[in-house]
Amino acid sequence: MTTSAIADRLTRTGILLALMLFAIVPLLSMLTTALAAPGSTPQGLSWPSDPHWHNFVDAWSAANFLALFRSSTLIVIGVVPATVAMATAAGYALAQLTVPFGNAIYGLLLVGLTLPVEALITPLYYNLRAMGLLGTRLAIVLPLIGLLMPFGVFWMRAHFLGAEPALTEAAKVDGANNWQTFRRIHLPLATSAWSALSVLFFLATWNQYLLPLVLVDDPAKRTVAGGLGAFQGQYGTDIVLLCAGSLLIILPSLVIFLIFQRNFVKALLQGAVK
Amino acid sequence: MPTISSPPELRQASPMTDPTSTSAATQPAGPHRYARRARHWSALLWVAPAFATYAAFVLYPMFQSVQYSFYHWDGIGPATPAGLDNWKAIFTQPELLHSVAHAFVLIIFYTVLPVGLGLVAAALIRELRPGPFNTTARVMLFIPQVLPLVAAGIAWTWMYSSDGLVNQVLRAVGLDQHTRAWLGDFTFALPAVGVIGVWVMLGFCTVLLLAGIGKIDPSLYEAARIDGAGRISEFLAVTLPGLRRELVVCTTFTMIAALASFDIIQISTQGGPGYQTMVPGVQIYRLTFLQQHVGQASALAVFLAALVLVVIWPIQRLGREK
């Protein structure tokens, strides 16, 4: 290898390492800060001489994490299966069946892909108050199902458009009705699509901040992100405790991502580019 | 569509055909057409649950926002008609107008920089051999994208604070006079918040673009090399055109995130200092829930939704052309 080729290679690796460092350093800074002496204000990045792992235990109880995780899990259970099921059915129908006004329905759903939550939050607040749901988890679950729906339908429709038409024909020939064709043939083949959608919806729900902030006062009934926001408001000045708490809160998302990393990215790409 | 187009002969021809369905298929035109139409309408049932929740919690509130925007309402007492007051205010009140301008500045940080850096990172990773370093690079760059934006806001608020890492680094290299509380600085607060956006969006763009590069026909690169193309001209002639669809997706996604940003700013600056980092999302929240100007908040909300559509539309068209 010539010197210029080596220099070239070093530059390229250097740029890449710099970008990786940029991505990871804020989290490292949080970690070293979380291990500093309780109540102190350490430097941005400095490994403490005696790491105070106990800070995580303190943060755990200070933020009432058990309640927060339980609440987020309940909200995820309320949102994800229902949304994925409805989106799968609608996506299948729009791709494979003749739906009356199908184009108009799909067009209206597409508009929802770009609608920001902020544009809806004011009427949502007054509507849910009128329904007596303010302060309950349903106040987060119901709007979130509606908000995630456009993306879900878009995603599943894209998948079912790619389904082999001969399969549907063959099922018809065998006398299967729409439901049987869907249930026996297309749904099993769509497993990767709807499971990837579930992971995306899990993250979107877990990380949802504005809805819980506005609709639910009690942090113990919020999503993890909503609870984290409240935690920051309460312990914003205690940087050690705040960093420990934030790390605890982001851990599940991180673990889920690392486990599903391969399928996740692959699926994301399939869906996004269709 | 399969239901319509499958010819009856085909069904009869199959030895496995269910006898009941055969008789249905061969029945005279009247009942047959009736059955087909019934099946046709029943397809609506598949779409109904999805569309009903969407209509109740997205379309209807959107319609209400439009309605509210023509009234003065404090959320409690009676609403009084406001004509176009709330709409005029968006273009005349500096703090509203500036919030919209800031959203456009954020596009530089949420879209332009991540897409640009993402292209660089993707091109660099492509040239790496598959292996641990390759995987580590992808995973590391993508991590910020899966965290709650609230966590991103908290991490960077600490990075930018007086004792945070940014100032620590500046002191370490002898630039003490440049240290400051970045998020409280009138000049630097907006770019500082923008960098958080770069941090969050970079991984998404990199991974998406990388996958796009993987789908480009390798023979195109070979042809470029035979033509004696350098790395830059190869990039311009082969990589960039091949990534059109991925670029459209990246740009669309990140632009919506920029124009409708809320979480990061609410956590890190709440729009301050002054109105230096105020964006429409935070402004809507404050107008409704802190100042009880529901009409004004709604006008801004509808304006924001329209703005996103208007900005995204041409990009989508660009993606659909051949």
Side-chain angles (χ1 to χ4, degrees):
Chain A
M1 217 186 271
T2 63
T3 13
S4 78
I6 293 174
D8 184 64
R9 185 146 183 200
L10 281 179
T11 326
R12 282 187 281 138
T13 315
I15 295 173
L16 199 55
L17 281 174
L19 289 174
M20 287 159 70
L21 205 63
F22 172 62
I24 210 71
V25 146
L27 297 175
L28 285 181
S29 169
M30 266 186 151
L31 178 63
T32 63
T33 308
L35 293 174
S40 68
T41 307
Q43 284 285 302
L45 193 64
S46 53
W47 190 256
S49 45
D50 56 333
H52 290 67
W53 294 98
H54 199 262
N55 290 339
F56 287 105
V57 181
D58 296 342
W60 180 273
S61 49
N64 200 4
F65 272 117
L66 224 48
L68 195 53
F69 282 135
R70 186 175 154 268
S71 172
S72 297
T73 309
L74 286 174
I75 292 172
V76 165
I77 292 173
V79 170
V80 178
T83 318
V84 170
M86 289 188 231
T88 306
Y92 176 72
L94 289 170
Q96 294 277 338
L97 310 177
T98 333
V99 182
F101 312 112
N103 284 337
I105 291 172
Y106 185 57
L108 274 172
L109 278 164
L110 276 187
V111 171
L113 275 181
T114 68
L115 281 184
V117 199
E118 297 100 305
L120 311 168
I121 193 67
T122 307
L124 277 177
Y125 174 83
Y126 290 108
N127 294 351
L128 290 160
R129 193 177 68 173
M131 292 161 78
L133 292 176
L134 226 50
T136 67
R137 290 188 192 96
L138 267 184
I140 302 171
V141 170
L142 291 176
L144 207 49
I145 293 178
L147 283 161
L148 295 177
M149 199 57 78
F151 182 75
V153 175
F154 171 75
W155 177 280
M156 293 312 298
R157 179 181 170 272
H159 169 83
F160 287 121
L161 276 183
E164 186 58 59
L167 286 176
T168 312
E169 289 301 322
K172 284 251 141 52
V173 168
D174 288 350
N177 60 29
N178 283 339
W179 169 251
Q180 288 164 331
T181 314
F182 170 70
R183 178 70 193 81
R184 298 276 164 80
I185 313 244
H186 288 291
L187 194 58
L189 287 173
T191 306
S192 70
W194 65 256
S195 56
L197 188 65
S198 306
V199 176
L200 288 179
F201 279 174
F202 164 80
L203 285 177
T205 306
W206 200 256
N207 295 345
Q208 174 59 42
Y209 175 55
L210 178 57
L211 290 176
L213 173 70
V214 168
L215 302 172
V216 177
D217 280 333
D218 181 1
K221 288 186 183 169
R222 285 180 172 184
T223 61
V224 152
L228 183 56
F231 187 65
Q232 187 222 22
Q234 203 175 349
Y235 296 98
T237 48
D238 187 345
I239 189 65
V240 172
L241 196 65
L242 182 63
C243 284
S246 305
L247 284 175
L248 280 182
I249 282 187
I250 62 186
L251 204 62
S253 314
L254 215 57
V255 169
I256 292 244
F257 165 63
L258 290 176
I259 293 173
F260 289 103
Q261 185 257 120
R262 243 162 238 283
N263 331 10
F264 181 75
V265 171
K266 204 183 291 166
L268 175 79
L269 305 170
Q270 281 168 4
V273 183
K274 259 177 190 152
Chain B
M1 291 297 124
T3 16
I4 304 282
S5 67
S6 85
E9 311 85 74
L10 190 75
R11 304 189 193 182
Q12 282 177 309
S14 162
M16 288 171 71
T17 302
D18 181 305
T20 50
S21 100
T22 311
S23 66
T26 48
Q27 261 173 23
H32 184 185
R33 194 177 297 151
Y34 175 78
R36 186 189 288 167
R37 196 183 301 145
R39 203 189 307 154
H40 190 77
W41 284 107
S42 77
L44 269 182
L45 289 177
W46 293 71
V47 185
F51 193 75
T53 45
Y54 171 68
F57 295 101
V58 178
L59 286 182
Y60 179 57
M62 196 61 229
F63 166 76
Q64 287 174 296
S65 279
V66 175
Q67 221 176 4
Y68 290 176
S69 75
F70 297 106
Y71 288 88
H72 291 301
W73 188 36
D74 62 3
I76 305 157
T80 53
L84 290 174
D85 287 2
N86 296 325
W87 284 91
K88 281 184 196 144
I90 297 176
F91 302 97
T92 51
Q93 282 188 20
E95 66 263 32
L96 297 182
L97 200 58
H98 286 170
S99 74
V100 176
H102 293 155
F104 279 98
V105 174
L106 286 184
I107 289 183
I108 300 172
F109 291 96
Y110 279 60
T111 307
V112 179
L113 286 174
V115 171
L117 289 172
L119 277 171
V120 172
L124 292 176
I125 294 177
R126 187 186 80 88
E127 293 176 13
L128 292 177
R129 263 169 288 123
F133 183 59
N134 188 318
T135 314
T136 314
R138 289 167 197 246
V139 171
M140 242 189 211
L141 287 175
F142 200 74
I143 281 178
Q145 175 68 39
V146 296
L147 305 181
L149 291 172
V150 178
I154 292 176
W156 279 91
T157 304
W158 168 229
M159 292 280 287
Y160 285 133
S161 71
S162 329
D163 301 301
L165 183 60
V166 175
N167 287 328
Q168 190 191 0
V169 169
L170 286 175
R171 275 192 288 269
V173 297
L175 292 170
D176 296 57
Q177 74 274 22
H178 292 296
T179 59
R180 67 195 80 218
W182 294 88
L183 294 175
D185 188 285
F186 269 73
T187 315
F188 288 102
L190 189 59
V193 165
V195 169
I196 310 180
V198 180
W199 188 71
V200 173
M201 298 301 165
L202 177 60
F204 174 77
C205 292
T206 307
V207 171
L208 196 60
L209 294 170
L210 195 57
I213 290 182
K215 276 186 271 176
I216 297 175
D217 188 352
S219 66
L220 288 177
Y221 283 105
E222 222 133 278
R225 204 151 302 148
I226 291 167
D227 289 349
R231 183 171 292 132
I232 304 282
S233 52
E234 179 189 88
F235 177 79
L236 291 177
V238 180
T239 309
L240 216 46
L243 286 178
R244 183 201 191 107
R245 272 141 61 91
E246 284 78 8
L247 285 170
V248 167
V249 173
C250 270
T251 314
T252 309
F253 177 83
T254 55
M255 271 193 178
I256 295 176
L259 293 172
S261 57
F262 177 82
D263 301 17
I264 289 177
I265 292 174
Q266 176 67 18
I267 288 290
S268 59
T269 65
Q270 296 178 308
Y275 280 95
Q276 291 307 105
T277 59
M278 186 55 79
V279 289
V282 177
Q283 185 71 271
I284 292 165
Y285 166 76
R286 298 182 75 88
L287 281 169
T288 298
F289 298 102
L290 303 180
Q291 299 164 12
Q292 277 79 41
H293 291 167
V294 175
Q296 186 61 71
S298 300
L300 190 59
V302 177
F303 181 76
L304 175 64
L307 191 69
V308 173
L309 268 180
V310 166
V311 171
I312 295 311
W313 190 258
I315 303 171
Q316 287 295 317
R317 290 298 298 270
L318 209 69
R320 223 164 286 159
E321 282 166 23
K322 134 75 202 108

